[in-house]
């Protein structure tokens, strides 16, 4: 097309940056987080203390690390319910390594590699056999933890080297724990990968329409496989942290973490149906869940009552924009 | 400004711990300047208990008296508490020595181990097969009692044959399945020993349902109020337990001794536990409160009204 | 939001601009698409109301169903505005309009699936409301919808009677009667070969459509609506459908027939109603109206669709396929595609053409055979491989395989080209926008911005995105699978013009199509497939429709 | 060929037979009718729950809150019984059904009216319902001693040689069979799962159908709540914690497709039985209970893999036609 009558110009975007930022999911989460923070500081005199706030972060860092990878996985239209079981298996393997006299670097490697291996196993089942991930990972959830039970039975592994304690208990600078540091670094990496790389773009495309993505030259199965591996990897890292924090391994470790990580992802505005979401949302959701559980903990509210708050928060925060749109849309 | 003592239990809602809390409140009243924070997770896991401990640290309580879900996993969190100047003792279900200043056993471990076997043996003059239905495989105290029981079995009760140990995880459904499995696998089973209040109820209910009353005797550790029914219907001859009210009471006294009276918790030290008396710490800084108390047809009515 | 309003108006310009370009005589392909005779129309895209035939009142009969003043808006889109329509007993009314004119929306209003924002529906002169599909059944309205409404895992009988199954005394489903009735319905339609007990997923595509028709017939209806019923049927089945329509007419049913194919409309319809941009712009008796007159109402000006004439400068072979086989779908496929050539692939629906094309572009695996591009053998294992090699496949099913609804326009366009628009995996938005702009503006896309979600575009504009995204990969060979399926006449001409332009630039095109005029009008050579094999290859010099149909159907000359 | 589903169930039945055979090799008494009857009785609650979950999964939804519903409703009836032992048991069962229905209806309304994906809604109510149990009970347990003999005794009463619990399960199975094969609602449930947009055209209200299936699963959860509490004679906040995954696993093993539209009453029942047999057999054949988890996990993976194989489209087979011609 050498010369054509000036083609119709289509603008890049119709920017309304302010209003779109104000009505975004993240803004809603910021409001919720600030509100809870304020309520907490009023409700308990112990809340506004650097060490309290630092301890608070331990309530969510491990789960949030998994939630980052899980967010990518859910955006791509899959899910992994086996993450907590992966933690158990990885921790058990680390325990075996300790028994065999392994030092801290080897332990960390074992934990991460076992996590990666479990993730790859999930990924293979889902992509190679074309099975629905929710079912596959319900199966591997029992399988992985079951293997941990077979190995450990009623025993526990302990005797982790003193230097190993750093990962789950150490502080990098003043009140900034290693876990918090890792959480922040991971948040930046995942934000970059999801929102600034072609890999992330492909993840969104797969989540919105896997078939069209495949026809467009996206290697759908490969990307999904990588995402399962990533989720396994993050579970492995979380396993190192939690094992280090507890200083021991039981097969029942990290029970129920999968639902909390998924709750975090969904609360963070990631569509459970795939195709939409942001890392910033997940970070905010992690803080919110930490604030709620710690704040109520300071008031000695039983954990189960906190979970009511989390459950309500989940439903309300998701229902609000829907109701709002319905009200605005009239009728 | 009152002294804040946190009574941390394995899980909320358990009748045993609610009774212990009664004792703790009683101790607080006696001591005068004590506030009790009765808390714990709803799910009996170490991770949940750690979150509870963290919030107690933030609240700057004076002392934590904990019945732990896991002897090892809680150590780092409790160490942190001690570093921040909080007195930590464990009671009922203990924490490894480096995670607490002292531990109060409800009773002597060896004695409990012996008692649970004896409860079965008393009604089996000819001897026979027995099995243990425990709580979770990670429960510190149950494991210690079972070990003690196994140790004395050959010398003191040669005719008693322990055929299996299974775990019901303090979950009534799982305990039921396991009890049923025991009855099926060991048709000659004469007694099921369940040293846990959830398991013992499940086992007694199974024996009742399968019409094995009189053939299989259920025994173990049980709360009289929860278990009275099964003593009455004959599925169990007798069970034992210490007084949980006294246990909670004593735990608070010990915490107060260390935190406020600044008594040193070291091997050989003798500490006062109010109306219950005195305890002496052994070389792991542990002490036992009282021998287990036995309930049977003659006294269950009375105690079921108390706890 | 704003886009919606725009997409409804400018079809005029869309077709018009390439034409004006051709007037400039620059590219040499468009000169023969004399689509634009009325230049005034171009200047004023909103002509004052177009000629409306005086409404003939059904030749004396009272209308069975009348819609008047119907309006319907979706968030940001005004789909229908104050339209009216009448259906008469024993007559077929054709509803005609471009893509997105609002035809299917009206069908959904008449069948109780959508509620109109305003307007009155009357049956036999009585105003009615249709709050649900059930209510519509109750008033004797039945429809064959444009989208599939069938249930793969249910039996044929159940597919026919779902929602109105015969009941026993106890209000439970009467399976025996249902099966019997299903058989009857199928028999009367001449589809007795379909067993009422088979699971729908075990049927071929044509039989599935017959089941859809049977479903519509199973309701004792007085008003029958057919929204593009012939789109997936082969000629034989279309003939049978027409016989059925004649029968329904003789039974005195009022019929609404929607199609983009004028030969069908002239064959079967008695009356017509034309929609443009959600408004009713004309109606009358079909015998009083010529095709050009109707098209003028539809598009707002005359369109005389003649295929672009090309000086075929066919070069060396670009793509050589030989012995390509698949265990169950096709066997021993071999052909050559030359530089600058349009190679047509003709066959009946289900002949396996799409499967072959998907195999060439790496989406499905083959069991044997070779593919060579410019003499070098390639073995694409995925669409990514073939795109990299320079072969792109523009799929048949736009919604399912083409666009990624949920992503904005620019991200759709750049998706297959991400390698080029990103640097070591890091996105460069400026490059993406530039790429998207270059190709969408060239195709004269109508959108409010490049960040608009493609889901909010009309079908024709979505098709442009689909073509743009694959063109943006700078391919050597482009395979277009049914590029004009379900597309209105104006957009069709634009696509054809564009194809001609591509080959003029030296690209090679494979065009899969089931439409004879398109095949005859566009291809240099034609490959005919039948039941998974190549039946014959023809040069288009002196090819005629009959030869093609005979070969495709396997009937000896 | 005529009926794909039946095919799948026969395979599952065969697998169960093989499983029983294997177990009997180690423990001969296992295949005794009396023992099998007991296994059935022990699995009754899981079967009932799996049926409730099945109707939800068939509509492409999922109910993660069933076990929490069970826990809440169980606590309500246990507390009612403890406080007013005079309330007749049938009335308590009605109360259980109603409480369950309300909890299910809350899920259903959120799914129907607000269009929130069911997995999100029930993930939320999963924790809310269990938390509510804590709130109404103050965390206290209801013990065997506080329950009336009739409350505990009903399901244990033997009628025609079979415990009432088994009868209840059989009744529920029969009702679901009728529902799924003989009623318009049952067929709508399938239709919604197979093709939701198509269902709208066929005059089915998709949202309402989903609402109804959540009501059904809620009532089932409520019924199971009473049965569970009276069976294990303790009502606490921890009752059936995590059991929702067992229920879903039973459905999956029974060949119910998580993508909706495919599955049958027989499949759900057999899937539950399969898990029930494993749970029952492991203790008796002396396999450490620590193996149970890994075995049921492997069974789930195997079952989906096999089911997927059966479901896989074998292409359109254009060539066969050519060969036949
Ligand atoms: N559910 C919906 N939500 C939003 N917009 C809609 C919806 N359904 C239809 N539209 C819009 O309404 C307009 C009319 O669409 P409709 O499907 O009625 O067109 P049509 O005449 O049937 O076109 P075609 O010939 O392509 O089938 C289009 O702009 C379309 O995008
Ligand atoms: N039995 C069937 N069941 C479902 N879909 C079918 C069936 N047969 C054909 N189709 C669909 O109909 C379309 C046509 O089939 P296919 O593409 O294989 O043949 P074709 O010769 O390329 O026909 P077309 O010209 O329509 O593309 C495809 O989209 C295919 O998925
Ligand atoms: Mg349409
Ligand atoms: Mg095709």
């Amino acid at each position: 097309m050498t010369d054509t009558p000036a083609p119709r110009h289509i603008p890049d975007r119709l920017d309304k940056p302010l209003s779109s930022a104000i009505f975004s999911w993240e803004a809603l989460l910021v409001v919720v987080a600030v509100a809870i923070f304020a309520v907490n500081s009023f409700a308990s005199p112990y809340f506004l203390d650097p060490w309290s706030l630092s301890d608070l972060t331990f309530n969510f860092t491990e789960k949030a690390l998994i939630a980052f990878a899980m967010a990518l996985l859910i955006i791509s239209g899959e899910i992994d319910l086996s993450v907590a079981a992966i933690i158990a298996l990885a921790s058990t393997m680390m325990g075996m390594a300790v028994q065999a006299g392994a030092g801290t670097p080897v332990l960390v490697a074992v934990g991460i590699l076992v996590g990666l291996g479990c993730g790859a196993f999930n990924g293979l089942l889902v992509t190679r056999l074309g099975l629905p991930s929710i079912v596959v990972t319900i199966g591997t959830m029992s399988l992985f933890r079951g293997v941990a039970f077979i190995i450990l039975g009623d025993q526990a592994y302990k005797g982790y080297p003193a230097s190993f304690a750093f990962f789950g208990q150490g502080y990098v600078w003043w009140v900034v724990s290693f876990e918090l540091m890792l959480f922040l670094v991971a948040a930046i990496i995942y934000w970059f990968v999801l929102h600034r790389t072609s890999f992330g773009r492909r993840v969104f495309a797969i989540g919105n329409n896997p078939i069209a993505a495949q026809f467009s030259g996206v290697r759908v199965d490969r990307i999904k496989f990588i995402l399962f591996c990533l989720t396994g990897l993050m579970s492995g890292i979380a396993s190192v942290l939690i094992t280090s924090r507890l200083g021991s391994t039981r097969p029942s470790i990290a029970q129920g973490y999968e639902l909390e990580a998924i709750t975090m992802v969904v609360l963070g505005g990631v569509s459970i149906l795939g195709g939409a979401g942001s890392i910033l949302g997940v970070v905010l959701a992690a803080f919110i869940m930490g604030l709620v559980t710690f704040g109520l903990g300071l008031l000695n509210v039983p954990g189960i009552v906190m979970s009511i708050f989390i459950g309500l928060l989940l439903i309300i925060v998701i229902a609000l924009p829907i109701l709002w749109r319905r009200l605005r849309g009239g009728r | 400004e009152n002294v804040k003592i946190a009574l941390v239990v394995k899980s909320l809602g358990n009748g045993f711990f609610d009774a212990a809390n009664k004792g703790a409140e009683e101790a607080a009243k006696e001591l005068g300047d004590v506030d009790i924070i009765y808390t714990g997770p709803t799910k009996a896991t170490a991770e949940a208990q750690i979150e509870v401990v963290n919030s107690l640290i933030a609240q700057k309580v004076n002392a934590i008296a904990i019945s732990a879900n896991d002897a090892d996993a809680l150590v780092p969190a409790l160490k942190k508490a001690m570093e921040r100047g909080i007195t930590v003792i464990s009671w009922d279900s203990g924490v490894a020595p480096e995670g607490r200043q002292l531990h109060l056993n409800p009773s002597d471990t060896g004695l409990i181990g012996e008692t649970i076997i004896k409860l079965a043996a008393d009604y089996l003059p000819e001897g026979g097969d027995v099995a243990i239905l425990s709580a979770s495989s990670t429960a510190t105290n149950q494991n210690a009692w079972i070990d003690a029981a196994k140790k004395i079995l050959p010398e003191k009760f040669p005719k008693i044959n322990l055929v299996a140990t299974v775990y019901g995880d303090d979950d009534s459904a799982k305990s039921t399945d396991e009890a049923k499995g025991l009855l099926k696998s060991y048709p000659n089973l004469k007694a099921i020993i369940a040293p846990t209040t959830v398991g013992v109820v499940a086992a007694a209910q199974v024996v009742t349902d399968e019409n094995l009353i009189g053939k299989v005797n259920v025994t173990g550790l049980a709360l009289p109020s929860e278990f009275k029914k099964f003593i009455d219907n004959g599925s169990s001859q007798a069970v034992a337990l210490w007084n949980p009210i006294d246990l909670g009471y004593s735990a608070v006294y010990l915490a107060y001794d260390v935190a406020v009276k600044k008594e040193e918790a070291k091997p050989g030290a003798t500490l006062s536990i109010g109306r219950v008396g005195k305890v002496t710490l052994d070389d792991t800084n542990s002490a036992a409160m009282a021998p287990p108390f036995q309930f049977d047809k003659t006294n269950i009515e009375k105690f079921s009204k108390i706890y | 939001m704003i886009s919606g309003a725009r997409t409804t108006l400018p079809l005029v310009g869309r077709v018009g601009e390439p034409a004006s370009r051709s007037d400039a005589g620059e590219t040499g392909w468009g000169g023969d698409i004399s689509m634009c005779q009325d230049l005034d129309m171009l200047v004023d895209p909103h002509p004052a109301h177009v000629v409306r035939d005086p409404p003939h009142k059904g030749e004396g009969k009272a209308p069975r169903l009348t819609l008047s003043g119907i309006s319907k808006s979706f968030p940001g889109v005004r789909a229908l505005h104050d339209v009216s329509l009448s259906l008469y007993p024993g007559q077929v009314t054709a509803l005609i309009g471009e893509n997105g004119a609002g035809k299917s929306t009206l069908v959904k209003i008449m069948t109780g699936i959508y509620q109109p924002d305003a307007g009155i529906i009357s049956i036999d002169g009585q105003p009615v409301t249709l709050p649900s599909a059930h209510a519509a059944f109750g008033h004797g309205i039945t429809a064959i919808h444009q989208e599939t409404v069938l249930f793969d895992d249910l039996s044929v009988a159940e597919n026919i009677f779902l929602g109105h199954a015969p009941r026993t005394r106890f209000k439970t489903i009467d399976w025996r009667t249902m099966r019997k009735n299903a058989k009857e319905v199928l028999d009367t339609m001449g589809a007795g070969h379909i067993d009422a007990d088979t699971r729908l997923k075990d049927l071929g595509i044509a039989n599935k459509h017959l089941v859809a028709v049977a479903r519509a017939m199973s309701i004792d209806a007085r008003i029958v609506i057919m929204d593009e019923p012939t789109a997936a049927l082969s000629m034989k089945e279309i003939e049978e459908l027409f016989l059925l329509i004649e029968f329904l007419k003789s039974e005195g049913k009022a019929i609404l027939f929607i199609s983009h194919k004028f030969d069908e409309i002239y064959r079967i319809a008695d009356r017509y109603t034309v929609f443009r941009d959600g408004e009713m712009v004309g109606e009358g008796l079909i015998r009083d109206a010529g095709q050009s007159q109707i098209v003028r109402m539809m598009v707002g000006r005359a369109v005389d669709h003649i295929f672009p004439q090309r000086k075929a400068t066919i070069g060396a072979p670009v793509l050589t396929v030989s012995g390509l086989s698949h265990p169950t779908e096709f066997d021993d496929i071999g052909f050559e595609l030359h530089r600058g050539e349009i190679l047509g692939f003709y066959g009946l629906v289900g002949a396996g053409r799409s499967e072959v094309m998907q195999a060439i572009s790496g989406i499905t695996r083959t069991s044997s055979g070779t593919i060579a591009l410019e003499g070098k053998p390639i073995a694409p294992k995925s669409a990514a491989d073939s795109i990299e090699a320079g072969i792109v496949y523009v799929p048949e099913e736009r919604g399912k395989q083409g666009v990624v609804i949920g992503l904005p326009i620019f991200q759709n366009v750049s998706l297959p080209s991400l390698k080029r628009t990103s640097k070591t995996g890091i996105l460069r938005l400026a490059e993406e926008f530039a790429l998207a702009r270059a190709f969408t503006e060239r195709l004269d896309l109508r959108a409010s911005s490049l960040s608009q979600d493609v889901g909010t575009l009309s079908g024709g504009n979505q098709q442009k995105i689909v073509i743009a995204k694959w063109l943006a990969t700078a391919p050597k060979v482009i395979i277009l699978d049914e590029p004009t399926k379900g597309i209105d006449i104006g957009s069709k001409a634009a696509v054809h013009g564009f194809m001609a332009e591509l080959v003029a630039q030296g690209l090679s095109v494979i065009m899969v199509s089931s439409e004879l005029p398109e095949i005859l009008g566009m291809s240099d050579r034609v490959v005919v497939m039948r039941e998974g094999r190549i039946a014959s290859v023809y040069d288009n010099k002196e090819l005629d429709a009959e030869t093609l149909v005979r070969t495709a159907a396997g009937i000896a000359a | 060929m005529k009926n794909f589903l039946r095919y799948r169930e026969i395979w599952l039945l065969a697998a169960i037979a093989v499983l029983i055979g294997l177990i009997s090799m180690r423990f001969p008494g296992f295949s005794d009718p009396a023992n099998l009857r007991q296994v059935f009785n022990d699995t009754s609650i899981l079967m009932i729950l799996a049926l409730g979950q099945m109707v939800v999964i068939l509509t492409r939804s999922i109910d993660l809150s069933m076990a929490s519903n069970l826990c809440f409703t169980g606590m309500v009836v246990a507390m009612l019984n403890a406080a007013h032992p005079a309330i007749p048991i049938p009335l308590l069962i009605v109360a259980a059904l109603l409480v369950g229905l309300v909890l299910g209806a809350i899920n259903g309304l959120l799914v129907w009216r607000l269009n929130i994906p069911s997995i999100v809604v029930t993930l939320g109510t999963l924790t809310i319902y269990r938390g509510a149990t804590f709130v109404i009970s103050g965390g206290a347990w209801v013990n065997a001693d506080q329950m009336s003999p009739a409350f505990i005794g009903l399901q244990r009463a033997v009628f025609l040689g079979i415990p009432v619990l088994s009868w209840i399960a059989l009744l529920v199975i029969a009702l679901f069979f009728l529902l799924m094969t003989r009623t318009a609602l049952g067929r709508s449930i399938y239709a919604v799962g197979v093709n939701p947009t198509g269902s709208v055209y066929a005059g089915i209200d998709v949202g309402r159908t989903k609402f109804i299936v959540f009501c059904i699963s809620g009532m089932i959860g409520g019924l199971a709540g009473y049965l569970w509490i009276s069976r294990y004679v303790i009502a606490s906040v921890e009752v059936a914690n995590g059991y929702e995954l067992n229920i879903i696993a039973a459905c999956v093993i029974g060949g119910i497709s998580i993508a909706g539209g495919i599955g049958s009453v027989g499949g759900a029942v057999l899937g539950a039985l399969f898990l029930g047999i494993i749970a029952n057999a492991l203790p008796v054949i002396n396999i450490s209970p620590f193996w149970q988890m890994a075995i049921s996990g492997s069974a789930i993976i195997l079952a989906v893999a096999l089911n997927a194989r059966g479901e896989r489209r074998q292409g359109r087979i254009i060539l066969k036609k050519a060969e036949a011609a």
Side-chain angles (χ1 to χ4, degrees), chain C residues 88-371:
Chain C
Y88 296 88
Q91 296 200 4
V92 176
T93 304
L95 181 57
I96 306 166
E98 294 176 303
N99 297 121
K103 305 180 295 292
S104 300
T105 305
L106 191 74
V107 170
K108 288 176 192 166
I109 286 174
M110 296 197 309
T111 49
I113 292 156
Y114 290 163
Q115 301 308 309
D117 301 339
I120 296 166
I121 307 171
S122 345
I123 295 177
D124 295 330
Q126 294 301 112
V128 294
T129 53
L130 303 171
S132 69
H134 252 293
F137 294 167
H139 287 290
I141 303 173
T142 182
I144 303 165
H145 289 278
Q146 191 173 11
E147 295 93 350
T148 163
V149 301
L150 296 175
F151 302 87
D152 259 344
D153 284 292
L154 304 185
S155 73
V156 168
E158 233 188 312
N159 265 287
I160 296 175
F161 283 103
L162 189 77
H164 55 278
R167 306 290 181 88
T168 64
R169 271 182 302 147
F170 309 106
K171 289 280 168 209
T172 59
I173 289 175
D174 184 351
W175 285 90
R176 194 132 45 95
T177 314
M178 188 161 104
R179 255 181 233 125
K180 197 177 86 219
N181 294 355
K183 243 185 129 31
E184 274 168 20
V185 176
L186 289 168
D187 280 342
T188 52
M189 284 174 40
H193 59 282
I194 301 176
D195 177 4
D197 281 335
T198 37
R199 233 144 253 286
L200 190 81
K201 67 173 158 203
D202 297 328
L203 292 184
I205 186 81
N207 283 339
K208 282 184 185 175
H209 270 266
L210 291 178
V211 173
V213 177
R215 175 172 171 77
M217 296 305 113
S218 70
I219 292 163
D220 185 23
R222 301 184 304 147
I223 298 156
V224 180
I225 301 165
M226 302 185 175
D227 194 350
E228 300 194 36
T230 58
L233 296 183
S234 68
M235 306 243 272
K236 185 168 147 281
E237 286 123 11
I238 292 176
E239 283 310 316
E240 276 172 13
L241 183 71
F242 284 172
L243 287 179
L244 185 72
I245 295 177
E246 294 293 350
F247 169 73
L248 294 174
K249 260 170 84 164
S250 68
E251 297 261 283
K253 320 252 169 188
I255 300 166
L256 182 69
F257 182 84
I258 299 176
S259 176
H260 289 292
K261 298 181 190 160
F262 278 91
D263 52 339
E264 293 177 355
I265 292 168
Y266 276 92
R267 161 91 198 274
I268 200 77
D270 304 299
R271 315 176 55 83
Y272 68 88
T273 296
V274 181
F275 279 11
R276 185 167 85 230
D277 297 346
E279 298 185 24
M280 205 274 278
V281 292
E283 64 177 359
L285 291 179
I286 204 98
R287 60 166 189 259
D288 301 342
Q291 177 169 341
S292 58
Q293 193 192 346
I294 291 180
V295 170
R296 186 193 287 266
M297 285 187 227
M298 224 176 106
V299 201
R301 73 196 144 70
V303 173
D304 186 8
H305 187 201
I306 296 174
F307 290 97
Q309 207 116 66
R310 297 176 290 115
K311 317 180 258 302
T313 44
I314 300 206
V318 176
L319 181 73
T320 314
V321 175
S322 67
L324 208 62
S325 301
H326 182 282
T328 58
E329 308 302 314
F330 52 83
D331 191 36
D332 194 23
I333 303 294
F335 63 88
E336 270 192 349
L337 173 69
H338 299 260
R339 191 175 154 82
E341 181 184 38
I342 296 181
L343 182 62
F345 262 74
Y346 182 70
L348 302 182
V349 169
R353 294 162 298 168
S354 300
E355 315 286 338
V356 170
M357 297 310 148
Q358 290 176 12
I360 292 172
S361 47
I363 294 157
T364 36
R365 300 292 169 86
T366 53
S367 51
S368 64
T370 57
I371 305 167

Side-chain angles (χ1 to χ4, degrees), chain B residues 87 89 101-102 254-263 265 271:
Chain B
T87 296
I89 71 161
Q101 280 154 284
L102 66 83
L254 285 176
Y256 191 85
D257 285 346
V258 179
V260 180
K261 294 202 203 140
K262 301 292 175 210
E263 291 186 35
L271 303 171

Side-chain angles (χ1 to χ4, degrees), chain A residues 150-208:
Chain A
I150 291 172
I151 293 171
L152 260 177
D154 53 357
Q155 302 301 305
Y157 284 129
K158 44 195 164 192
Y160 286 94
S163 58
F164 186 67
F166 174 75
F167 302 105
Q169 302 171 36
Y171 290 83
V172 179
W173 173 75
W174 191 41
V175 297
V176 179
S177 65
F178 177 75
E179 288 201 2
L180 180 61
M181 195 61 205
L182 201 59
F183 164 81
L184 294 173
V185 170
I188 291 168
I189 293 175
Y190 273 91
W191 171 83
F192 189 80
V193 168
L194 182 61
H195 299 294
R196 287 289 177 270
T197 67
S198 53
F199 180 83
R201 173 67 58 71
R202 292 190 174 108
V203 170
F204 277 109
I206 292 173
N208 278 305

